[in-house]
Amino acid sequence: MQFALTVPTVLDRFIQQAVMQVLQRRWDRTFSDHSYGFRPGRSAHQAVAQAQQYIAAGYGWVVDLDLEKFFDRVNHDKLMGRIANRIEDKRLLKLIRAFLNAGVMENGLVSPSVEGTPQGGPLSPLLSNLVLDELDRELERRGHRFVRYADDCNIYVRSERAGQRVMRSVTRFITQRLKLKVNETKSAVARPQERKFLGFSFSAGPEVKRVIAPKALDRFKARIREITRRAKGVSIETTMEELAPYLRGWRNYFGFCETPEVLVYLTRWVRLRLRAALWRQWKTPRRRRAALLQLGVRPRLASNTAGSGRGPWYLARAKALSVGLSNAHFKSLGLPTLIEGC
């Protein structure tokens, strides 16, 4: 397997960051109000909320556009032409061109880069917004209701027929005018409930609610399983050092959903995973009984549970573990919840 690296050096990153800050102050106010990605004062949550408003207003079909390998396909000459329309300083233009042409390292050899923006660089998101601002303006000119976050663009229409028509015409514009490619396997015209947008989806019915997309839930569970499997061989403190930051970050983002019952369920499921992991860690009936007693479980209940032949996942729900490894106990260890009061 071959790996291509475009990560800039520390000095390059410093210079790119300085250039980005100057240009972003000048350019950001010229970008479309429909663009939310990598812009100061704008967020993925705002993009999702705007999409929700379109759906609630009766635009019940989405043209979900995915640009194939966007960062790898941006034409340098076309991009530099757009930058030159905004910048007169030839030294700065030459510097930006040098960043774009820096090349990639592949199997120890450096190859020149003739297209694409450097994904690892601070300047890349701003340049991407500049390229796709042309798409935003075209969609505005056509009167579409749309939301774009980086290279993820959703257009909301009232019917499937309108959606298919928009998909064809916008794909043609992206291909012919922007010289980019739409990923046909990941793009679709569908009901919003059948698609995901920035990790969220939307409920059906008269009241449109933000819900966590199924794939995001699957990724969450996979990550928790990975962490709790390792818990069998390390201390609970070590497990918490890895688990707590992940849960806090996930809560900060997906707590924006409007289905609190899902957050309650996931919080309880994480505790069950930890109880099962600790039960495996204790290994023998003798150690299990001693651990339960130390956690304040009554002797008879501790003995009966420790001698059980049931599996860890079954016993994670047992009274002894619910008492000994209570919600308060996990809270004292620093385990966050995904929703207040759970």
Side-chain angles (χ1 to χ4, degrees):
M1 183 178 292
Q2 296 179 338
F3 295 94
L5 300 178
T6 58
V7 180
T9 65
V10 174
L11 179 58
D12 281 348
R13 287 188 67 87
F14 178 79
I15 297 172
Q16 283 192 42
Q17 184 71 30
V19 172
M20 185 275 291
Q21 289 176 348
V22 172
L23 295 183
Q24 189 164 58
R25 282 197 296 270
R26 295 180 184 177
W27 294 357
D28 189 74
R29 62 180 177 268
T30 71
F31 290 154
S32 168
D33 287 340
H34 298 272
S35 166
Y36 292 86
F38 307 109
R39 296 182 60 190
R42 290 179 160 249
S43 69
H45 286 171
Q46 292 174 338
V48 172
Q50 180 60 72
Q52 181 183 17
Q53 289 179 27
Y54 288 143
I55 299 165
Y59 295 86
W61 289 85
V62 61
V63 180
D64 187 353
L65 289 164
D66 182 271
L67 299 182
E68 186 173 298
K69 296 182 179 178
F70 169 74
F71 286 96
D72 299 334
R73 291 183 177 274
V74 175
N75 182 277
H76 285 183
D77 291 334
K78 187 173 178 61
L79 174 56
M80 287 305 303
R82 293 187 66 82
I83 295 172
N85 288 335
R86 293 171 176 251
I87 297 175
E88 296 181 359
D89 191 325
K90 292 184 178 180
R91 293 171 301 174
L92 183 52
L93 289 171
K94 187 176 180 180
L95 180 63
I96 295 172
R97 170 70 83 167
F99 286 139
L100 292 174
N101 292 342
V104 298
M105 180 176 288
E106 199 165 1
N107 294 336
L109 299 175
V110 177
S111 304
S113 178
V114 294
E115 62 178 14
T117 59
Q119 291 188 51
L123 195 56
S124 185
L126 179 62
L127 297 181
S128 301
N129 274 333
L130 179 61
V131 171
L132 292 174
D133 187 59
E134 189 172 352
L135 172 62
D136 297 339
R137 298 307 176 185
E138 177 64 17
L139 295 178
E140 288 176 351
R141 188 186 67 79
R142 298 183 185 189
H144 288 311
R145 289 154 180 81
F146 72 98
V147 182
R148 184 178 65 78
Y149 191 96
D151 57 343
D152 198 348
C153 182
N154 279 7
I155 306 167
Y156 294 89
V157 295
R158 289 191 181 275
S159 69
E160 183 179 15
R161 185 178 178 182
Q164 296 294 353
R165 185 175 63 251
V166 170
M167 174 66 85
R168 287 192 298 271
S169 63
V170 173
T171 297
R172 190 161 52 247
F173 176 84
I174 291 171
T175 303
Q176 297 178 359
R177 184 71 176 268
L178 301 185
K179 307 301 181 185
L180 297 171
K181 186 175 181 181
V182 173
N183 188 328
E184 294 182 3
T185 60
K186 292 185 177 180
S187 301
V189 175
R191 292 289 190 182
Q193 296 79 17
E194 300 169 3
R195 307 295 292 177
K196 64 179 179 66
F197 181 53
L198 303 176
F200 291 90
S201 188
F202 304 95
S203 65
E207 186 180 0
V208 179
K209 291 185 177 181
R210 299 184 297 270
V211 302
I212 303 169
K215 285 187 178 180
L217 291 173
D218 291 343
R219 284 194 296 270
F220 173 83
K221 285 194 167 186
R223 181 68 175 134
I224 298 300
R225 288 189 181 102
E226 180 186 342
I227 295 172
T228 52
R229 280 193 196 104
R230 290 198 294 270
K232 186 171 73 170
V234 299
S235 69
I236 188 64
E237 289 78 16
T238 299
T239 299
M240 286 301 167
E241 287 176 4
E242 186 175 9
L243 188 59
Y246 177 74
L247 289 175
R248 281 194 292 268
W250 202 88
R251 179 185 64 193
N252 289 342
Y253 187 76
F254 287 103
F256 189 60
C257 76
E258 295 176 308
T259 50
E261 64 277 6
V262 174
L263 302 179
V264 171
Y265 159 74
L266 291 175
T267 298
R268 291 172 178 171
W269 181 81
V270 169
R271 293 192 193 113
L272 288 174
R273 290 288 308 179
L274 286 170
R275 289 176 184 132
L278 287 169
W279 190 252
R280 291 189 185 95
Q281 190 181 92
W282 295 335
K283 291 183 180 179
T284 66
R286 183 176 178 179
R287 288 181 61 188
R288 287 168 175 169
R289 180 180 184 277
L292 290 173
L293 290 173
Q294 188 175 4
L295 289 166
V297 179
R298 296 194 311 273
R300 184 174 179 180
L301 182 58
S303 298
N304 289 341
T305 307
S308 173
R310 297 279 192 173
W313 188 241
Y314 179 90
L315 290 172
R317 295 173 171 80
K319 183 178 180 180
L321 272 72
S322 296
V323 171
L325 299 173
S326 64
N327 298 354
H329 175 78
F330 284 126
K331 184 177 181 180
S332 72
L333 294 173
L335 181 70
T337 63
L338 298 177
I339 190 170
E340 292 299 326
C342 179

